[in-house]
């Protein structure tokens, strides 16, 4: 095949593979899972494009409470090669006035990028397979088996950036073969460095593949191999070091972001084996019939290349059934099945070699054909396959087997057609019908995602708010609503987050989010103190829960469905204090005590004062449709539980903070209602639970507080009730109002403010998340940025006037920049060296 014909074929096959999604998008649909697709993938692409065009390449103040772009978004798109190429193209069309780069455009671009990406994958895999003495057309067929696989389109639909992983495997194989055959590591170094920059998570998976491939190549040799084993390992090691140096500027901060993230360890046992019907209806990995036939056809094992690819394919197929392997590829966390594209690549290679070296031998073929049919019968009968799917897959298998018997020249075309049929059938029946049937223009513009009614109220708030003031609002279950609707919010959903913020929510302040889940934070638990401390004077909810507005908030505006409340008072963005409290001394203090300490001073690792404890109340408990014995609560009907009756004066105002430890003994998920507030806890088997049982919920003052639960048996321990009369907040507001305003400028990585007449021992306290990478100067002199109030920042000031400047750079910026520059020098030196020798190291 000529190059032009090969490129055209790759684009044609890729387009046909996406034919159902092309039709779906023409009808107003979008290729994005209703959960992560709409909540993360598309919003993050739009967000990063807008952030980059503002000139913010390393930090964004509107990423939740603020966060480093590389440390928290490199897992997604921040350093993705494909995304940066897309940004370049979109920017060009934007400058020419041909497009509007809004959220809808990024929804539509998923299809275009996927078609182009898959075509490139086919071309790269074809080139890789040709290195093993495979005809171009047969290599292309093998590439289709690799790229046009169910995992590719599954990734595109749910976690679009996952699909980029398909690009690197053939490139790595090309680089490895250049080392083994030519003694040249230049290509492998460049590809490895780009892969490490692109995505550290899939770099880990791909490097495992590199190790497996290299080990197999130690025992399976080709006539072209020039390097001895020892020389190969020297080049592998040196290449790895150079690639790490070149990628250090992005790879190290991204890895640091992953390591400082907080995620509970998996508590329940991992199954030894997990059955998956890989011949018919697996959602992850469907083996083509041609590979089953070839794997059973003994004459093909005379080919060295077939032995290489078949052996790796059989290994990866066996590993697919092990959840422990899924855990290994997911960083020894909960099993995730994202690595099976490695098996698709080796299967494609085996098929390409088998087609190119096909020689019909009757007895061997009959044995292989019968064995293939038996496998399909067994998996079909015992795999709970639906009849329509089973008949189609079984029929395609029979046609494939028959073609290799009667018309071998026709077999590649049948394999291509079968692959496209399975791909589009999976797209329609699994991805569309079961997952994204509602992902369309109507849903995206609905109240479940981003409605015009919500936008109108948001516009009103943004007109009213000061530049750094936040709004506590998110569409239920969508913590990235602030990114979607472009406002400063209090919620975020990402697999990699600032670990300090997560522990703040989970344990330091026990801020309930309305549901239990990892990888996200959201809302401030309707707690007025936190709204003041974190510059969040606006609160928006559905009308039916408006009664839960934080204390002191009054109605600002409302629509048919929603209401916006505003705090009548404000604390400044930058507060100053001379009172410091030691964080360790507050370990046994109540949550409300910690809140009040944050108001009256600042909590530091080396504070020196003790805060006054919050007002604890006596109370009694009465069971309703439940039985309470010691610390065991048996709820006999849904919405049963206990009533808490606090001992407070009849004229008391303010809020009550109710704290308790709770766990459902049956282990399933459950809801909790306290007064008018409702939250949920996940089943103990869920991989997304926080594994924390301690809770603190705020509720408006009441003589009787109903705590309601579903039917079941609960361990209910350490119940306490505290009274927040907001005297502390009122006093702090009065003191603050007597001080001059502190103008603040915060633009991405730069934050500046000036404080006049600071007393000795004064600290400036900011609601800016503490993160490695912040540097401060006070009156031109370097000053440490201190972790304060568990997750935020403080700076010690000088007496008198203080001009404060904060600047953010990615963690280890100077070291990683030096490493990358050193890597460039060494790599250029290596290129100069190898140009002088035709075959270095051989």
């Amino acid at each position: 095949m000529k190059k032009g014909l090969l490129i055209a074929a790759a684009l044609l096959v890729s387009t046909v593979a996406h034919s159902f999604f092309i039709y779906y998008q023409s009808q107003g649909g979008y290729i994005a899972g209703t959960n992560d697709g709409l909540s993360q993938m598309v919003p993050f692409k739009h967000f990063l494009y807008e952030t980059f065009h503002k000139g913010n390449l390393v930090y964004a103040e509107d990423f939740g409470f603020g966060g480093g772009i590389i440390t928290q978004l490199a897992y997604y798109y921040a350093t993705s090669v494909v995304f940066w190429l897309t940004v370049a193209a979109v920017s060009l069309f934007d400058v020419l006035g041909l497009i509007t780069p809004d959220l809808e455009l990024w929804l539509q671009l998923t299809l275009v990028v996927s078609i182009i990406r898959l075509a490139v994958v086919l071309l790269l895999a074809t080139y890789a397979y040709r290195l093993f003495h495979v005809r171009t057309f047969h290599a292309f067929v093998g590439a289709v088996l690799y790229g046009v696989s169910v995992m590719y389109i599954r990734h595109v639909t749910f976690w679009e950036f996952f699909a980029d992983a398909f690009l690197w495997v053939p490139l790595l194989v090309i680089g490895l073969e250049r080392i083994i055959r030519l003694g040249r590591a230049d290509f492998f170094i460049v590809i490895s460095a780009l892969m490490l920059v692109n995505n550290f998570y899939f770099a880990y998976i791909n490097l495992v593949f590199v190790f497996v491939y290299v080990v197999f190549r130690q025992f399976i040799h080709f006539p072209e191999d020039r390097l001895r084993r020892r020389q190969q390992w020297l080049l592998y090691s040196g290449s790895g070091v150079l690639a790490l140096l070149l990628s250090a500027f992005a790879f190290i901060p991204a890895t640091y972001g992953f390591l400082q993230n907080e995620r509970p360890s998996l508590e329940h046992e991992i199954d030894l084996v997990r059955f998956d019907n890989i011949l018919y209806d697996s959602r992850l990995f469907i083996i083509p019939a041609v590979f089953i036939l070839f794997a059973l056809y003994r004459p093909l094992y005379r080919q060295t290349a077939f032995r290489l690819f078949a052996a790796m394919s059989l290994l990866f197929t066996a590993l697919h059934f092990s959840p422990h392997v899924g855990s290994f590829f997911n960083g020894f966390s909960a099993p995730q099945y994202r690595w099976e594209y490695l098996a698709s690549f080796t299967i494609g290679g085996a098929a390409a070699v088998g087609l190119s070296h096909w020689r019909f031998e009757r007895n061997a073929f009959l044995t292989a054909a019968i064995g293939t049919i038996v496998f399909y019968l067994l998996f079909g009968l015992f795999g709970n396959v639906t009849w329509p799917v089973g008949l189609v897959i079984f029929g395609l298998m029979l046609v494939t087997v028959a073609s290799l018997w009667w018309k071998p020249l026709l077999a590649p075309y049948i394999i291509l057609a079968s692959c496209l049929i399975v791909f589009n059938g999976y797209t329609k029946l699994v991805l569309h019908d079961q997952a994204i049937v509602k992902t369309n223009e109507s849903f995206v513009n609905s109240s479940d995602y981003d409605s015009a009614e919500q936008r109108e109220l948001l516009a009103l708030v943004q007109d009213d708010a000061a530049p750094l003031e936040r709004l506590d609002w998110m569409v239920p279950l969508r913590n990235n609503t602030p990114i979607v609707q472009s406002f400063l919010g209090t919620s975020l959903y990402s697999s990699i987050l600032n670990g300090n913020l997560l522990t703040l929510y989970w344990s330091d302040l026990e801020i309930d989010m309305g549901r239990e889940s990892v990888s996200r934070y959201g809302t401030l638990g309707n707690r007025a103190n936190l709204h003041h401390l974190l510059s969040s004077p606006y609160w928006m909810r559905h009308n039916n829960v408006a009664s839960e507005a934080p204390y002191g908030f009054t109605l600002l505006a409302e629509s048919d469905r929603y209401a916006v409340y505003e705090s009548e008072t404000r604390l400044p963005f930058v507060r100053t204090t001379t009172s410091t409290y030691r964080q360790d001394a507050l370990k046994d203090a109540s949550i409300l005590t910690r809140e009040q300490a944050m108001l009256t001073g600042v909590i530091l690792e080396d504070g020196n004062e003790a805060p006054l404890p919050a007002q604890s109340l006596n109370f009694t408990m009465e069971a309703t449709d439940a039985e309470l014995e010691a610390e065991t609560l048996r709820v006999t009907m849904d919405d049963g539980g206990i009533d808490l009756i606090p001992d407070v004066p009849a004229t008391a105002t303010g809020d009550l903070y109710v704290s308790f430890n709770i766990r459902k003994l049956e282990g399933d998920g459950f809801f909790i209602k306290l007064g008018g507030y409702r939250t949920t806890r996940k089943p103990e088997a869920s991989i997304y639970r926080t594994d924390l049982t301690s809770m603190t919920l705020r509720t408006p003052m009441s003589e009787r507080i109903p705590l309601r639960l579903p039917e079941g048996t609960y361990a209910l321990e350490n119940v306490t009730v505290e009274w927040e009369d907001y005297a502390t907040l009122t006093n702090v507001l009065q003191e603050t109002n007597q001080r001059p305003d502190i103008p603040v400028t915060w633009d991405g990585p730069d934050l500046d403010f000036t404080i006049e007449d600071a007393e000795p021992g004064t600290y400036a306290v900011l609601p800016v998340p503490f993160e490695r990478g912040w540097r401060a100067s006070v009156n031109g002199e370097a000053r440490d940025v201190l972790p304060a109030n568990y997750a935020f920042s403080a700076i010690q000031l000088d007496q008198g006037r203080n001009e404060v400047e904060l600047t953010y750079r990615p963690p280890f910026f100077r070291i990683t920049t030096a490493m990358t520059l050193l890597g460039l020098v060494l790599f250029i030196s290596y290129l100069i060296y190898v140009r002088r020798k035709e075959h270095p190291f051989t």
Side-chain angles (χ1 to χ4, degrees):
M1 294 176 72
K2 296 181 179 180
K3 288 184 178 178
L5 181 59
L6 182 61
I7 294 171
L11 285 170
L12 176 62
V13 169
S14 181
T15 303
V16 173
H18 289 84
S19 57
F20 177 79
F21 273 158
I22 292 172
Y23 165 77
Y24 181 53
Q25 189 152 306
S26 71
Q27 302 301 304
Y30 299 119
I31 307 173
T34 54
N35 295 320
D36 289 350
L38 288 180
S39 290
Q40 290 186 313
M41 307 306 136
V42 174
F44 285 164
K45 285 187 283 186
H46 177 60
F47 171 76
L48 285 170
Y49 181 85
E50 296 295 322
T51 302
F52 292 156
H53 275 259
K54 293 176 186 175
N56 298 342
L57 299 178
V58 295
Y59 195 90
E61 69 273 21
D62 49 351
F63 187 68
F65 287 108
I69 290 174
I70 295 179
T71 53
Q72 297 181 55
L73 281 172
Y75 175 67
Y76 295 93
Y77 296 103
T79 56
S80 165
V81 175
V82 173
F83 177 69
W84 275 96
L85 292 173
T86 307
V87 166
V90 171
S91 299
L92 175 62
F93 286 113
D94 188 11
V95 169
L96 296 174
L98 300 177
I99 60 171
T100 301
D102 54 12
L103 195 72
E104 183 181 5
L105 175 71
W106 291 102
L107 279 163
Q108 295 169 339
L109 275 178
T110 301
L111 176 60
V112 178
V113 171
S114 181
I115 291 173
I116 296 172
R117 182 202 293 114
L118 180 55
V120 174
V121 168
L122 299 181
L123 294 172
L124 294 176
T126 299
Y127 184 85
Y129 294 148
R130 284 189 61 199
L131 296 175
F132 300 92
H133 305 290
V134 174
R135 296 170 187 167
T136 303
F137 179 50
H138 295 148
F140 180 74
V141 174
V144 171
L145 292 176
Y146 168 51
V148 186
S149 56
V150 297
M151 177 157 281
Y152 176 83
I153 199 63
R154 175 181 173 82
H155 281 175
V156 170
T157 304
F158 297 130
W159 311 281
E160 192 257 355
F161 71 95
F162 283 12
D164 293 354
F166 279 74
L167 293 164
W168 302 104
V169 177
L171 289 170
L172 289 169
V173 168
I174 294 168
L176 289 169
E177 289 300 323
R178 282 175 59 86
I179 289 176
I180 298 169
R181 301 180 187 197
L182 304 177
R184 295 288 295 267
D186 47 356
F187 187 81
F188 182 73
I189 292 168
V190 172
I191 293 304
S192 298
L194 286 173
M195 179 184 68
L196 290 169
V197 169
N198 184 79
N199 186 285
F200 68 90
Y201 178 83
F202 282 98
Y204 163 66
I205 294 175
N206 289 337
L207 288 175
V208 172
F209 170 79
V210 166
F211 177 76
V212 172
Y213 186 88
V214 166
V215 169
F216 271 84
R217 284 292 269 118
Q218 300 300 296
F219 303 98
I220 299 177
H221 305 283
F222 294 95
E224 300 90 345
D225 296 356
R226 291 177 178 268
L227 260 64
R228 297 186 182 93
R229 293 175 181 173
R230 181 172 177 273
Q231 294 169 329
Q232 289 179 32
W233 284 107
L234 284 173
L235 275 183
Y236 297 146
S237 303
S239 300
V241 171
L242 264 181
L244 180 59
L245 288 172
L246 289 168
S247 66
F249 74 97
F251 176 74
I252 290 178
T255 304
Y256 170 78
F258 168 76
L259 294 174
Q260 65 83 49
N261 185 46
E262 282 291 328
R263 192 170 184 123
S265 58
L266 190 67
E267 294 297 328
H268 57 270
E269 280 191 26
I270 298 175
D271 294 335
L272 188 63
V273 177
R274 168 186 170 274
F275 177 76
D276 190 29
N277 198 334
I278 56 177
L279 298 187
Y280 285 93
D281 60 357
S282 170
R283 294 174 179 268
L284 305 164
F285 176 48
I286 296 179
I287 297 181
V290 64
F291 174 73
I292 302 296
L293 182 70
F294 283 177
L296 297 173
Y297 189 60
R298 292 184 62 186
L300 282 176
Y301 287 91
R302 299 167 190 158
Q303 298 297 323
T304 305
F306 184 81
R307 292 199 300 274
L308 173 68
F309 285 115
M312 287 193 292
S313 299
L314 294 172
L315 171 65
F316 287 137
T317 300
L319 295 179
H320 167 73
F321 294 99
S322 171
H324 286 277
V325 174
S327 174
F328 168 77
F329 277 110
N330 197 36
F332 299 95
S333 183
Q336 294 286 1
Y337 304 92
R338 299 165 177 163
W339 61 272
E340 281 82 347
Y341 63 93
L342 305 178
S344 295
F345 177 79
T346 57
I347 285 172
V353 175
L355 288 171
S356 205
H357 296 277
W358 178 254
R359 298 291 183 273
F360 181 78
E361 295 183 18
R362 182 183 178 87
N363 291 338
F365 182 84
L366 287 174
T367 301
I370 293 171
T372 302
I373 293 171
V374 169
F375 268 114
Y376 273 83
L377 286 173
L378 290 174
F379 275 76
L381 292 174
F382 299 103
N384 296 322
V385 182
T386 59
W387 279 106
V389 170
L391 288 174
V392 169
I393 298 293
F394 195 82
L396 292 174
M397 178 273 296
L398 290 177
V399 172
T400 300
V401 172
S403 68
L404 285 163
W405 188 350
W406 287 305
K407 294 286 184 181
L409 292 178
L410 191 62
Y413 299 97
I414 290 175
I415 293 168
L416 287 175
S418 299
C419 190
L420 291 169
I421 290 170
V422 172
F423 191 85
N424 276 286
Y426 179 89
T427 300
K428 170 65 171 68
L429 299 176
V430 177
L431 299 180
H432 173 265
D433 292 359
Q434 299 180 27
I436 66 168
V437 66
K438 293 182 179 180
T439 306
N440 50 42
E441 187 176 352
S442 175
F443 179 83
V444 167
N445 293 316
S446 73
S447 61
D448 290 327
Y449 191 72
D450 182 20
S451 72
E453 184 181 2
Q454 296 164 2
R455 288 272 186 180
E456 289 177 7
L457 289 176
L458 289 171
L460 186 150
V461 170
Q462 289 171 320
D463 288 341
D464 186 70
L468 296 178
E469 291 182 340
R470 297 182 178 275
L471 164 67
D472 187 325
W473 155 248
M474 54 175 268
V475 174
L477 306 184
R478 297 198 179 274
N479 293 58
N480 283 333
T481 295
I483 291 177
V484 171
Q485 299 182 337
S486 302
F487 66 90
L488 285 173
T490 62
S491 61
L492 188 62
Y493 170 35
S494 173
S495 291
I496 310 294
L497 288 171
N498 185 324
N500 299 314
L501 285 171
L502 291 176
T503 54
L504 175 89
Y505 269 80
W506 294 348
S507 56
D508 295 329
L509 294 182
E510 295 184 2
I511 306 171
D512 188 74
M513 299 184 293
R515 65 163 170 155
E516 178 188 23
S517 184
V518 298
S519 301
R520 68 190 74 213
Y521 59 80
T523 82
L524 295 174
N526 307 339
R527 286 148 64 171
N529 292 335
L530 296 181
H531 277 270
H532 282 81
L533 287 164
L534 300 180
S535 292
S536 305
Y538 298 93
W539 184 88
M540 176 172 158
R541 292 293 190 277
H542 199 282
N543 280 331
N544 61 7
V545 294
S547 61
E548 289 293 310
Y551 183 85
F553 279 55
T554 57
L555 183 66
L556 175 67
E558 62 181 333
S559 63
D560 291 341
R561 296 186 182 185
Y562 305 99
V564 179
Y565 285 73
E566 179 184 11
S567 173
E568 297 177 348
T569 54
R570 303 283 203 279
L571 284 178
F573 185 84
V574 177
R575 297 186 303 111
T576 58
T577 183
T578 57
S579 298
T580 63
Y581 307 108
R582 190 161 61 89
Q583 185 170 311
D584 284 347
L586 290 167
K587 276 186 176 179
D588 297 325
S590 70
I591 299 301
L592 182 55
T593 300
R594 297 176 190 180
E595 272 189 17
Q596 292 176 350
M598 292 164 63
L599 284 168
T600 57
V602 58
I603 301 173
L604 300 172
E605 291 180 353
D606 297 322
N608 52 30
E609 297 181 33
L612 294 174
Q615 301 179 70
S616 181
L617 297 177
N618 295 322
F619 62 93
T620 57
M621 292 190 288
E622 292 183 2
T624 301
D625 294 324
E627 298 174 0
L628 180 62
E629 296 179 6
E631 295 179 335
T632 300
L633 176 65
R634 294 182 181 84
V635 179
T636 55
M637 293 180 62
D638 280 348
D639 275 329
I642 58 172
D643 287 348
L644 302 172
I645 306 170
D647 184 11
V648 292
T651 58
T653 60
D655 287 334
L656 299 175
Y657 278 51
V658 180
S659 300
F660 50 88
N661 283 49
I662 190 167
R663 181 170 59 88
K664 193 171 185 182
L665 299 184
E666 289 88 350
D668 50 347
F670 59 101
F671 65 79
I672 300 171
K673 293 179 183 177
L674 185 75
Y677 183 79
R678 187 181 191 275
T679 186
T680 60
R681 310 301 285 176
K682 290 191 176 297
E684 289 190 4
S686 172
I687 63 174
Y688 300 109
R689 70 186 296 258
T690 62
D691 199 31
L692 299 170
T693 59
S694 181
M695 303 185 68
T696 296
L697 302 178
R698 165 265 180 185
T699 188
M701 180 62 66
S702 176
E703 295 180 359
R704 181 179 290 263
I705 311 165
L707 174 64
R708 296 294 181 261
L709 302 159
E711 183 179 351
T713 306
Y714 302 83
L716 181 64
E717 304 170 337
N718 303 325
V719 182
T720 63
V721 180
E722 292 181 299
W723 177 20
E724 174 57 284
D725 59 5
Y726 293 104
T728 301
L729 176 61
T730 301
N731 292 336
V732 171
L733 287 167
Q734 290 174 352
E735 292 175 9
T736 303
N737 290 336
Q738 296 172 5
R739 301 171 186 167
D741 292 337
I742 304 174
V744 179
T745 303
W746 189 10
D747 182 15
D750 300 310
L751 194 156
D752 307 315
F753 58 90
T754 300
I755 295 175
E756 307 285 354
D757 300 324
E759 299 177 13
T762 296
Y763 288 83
V765 186
L766 299 83
V768 176
F770 178 80
E771 188 172 342
R772 185 165 192 156
W774 279 112
R775 296 178 182 274
S777 69
V778 178
N779 298 324
E781 296 183 0
R783 191 68 49 87
D784 289 338
V785 178
L786 305 174
N789 293 340
Y790 300 106
F792 297 96
S793 306
I795 301 166
Q796 188 169 14
L797 303 176
D798 297 330
Q799 184 176 358
R801 178 182 173 85
N802 290 262
E803 293 183 1
V804 183
E805 297 179 359
L806 282 85
T807 301
Y808 178 88
R809 294 292 180 267
F812 316 106
F813 179 71
R814 293 177 182 175
I815 295 173
T816 56
T817 302
M819 290 173 67
T820 297
L821 291 175
L822 175 62
L824 281 171
V825 171
L826 293 175
F827 181 62
I828 292 170
S829 301
Y830 171 72
L831 292 179
I832 294 171
Y833 169 75
V834 296
R835 286 189 64 183
R836 296 177 181 175
K837 297 186 69 176
E838 183 180 358
H839 299 296
F841 299 105
T842 60

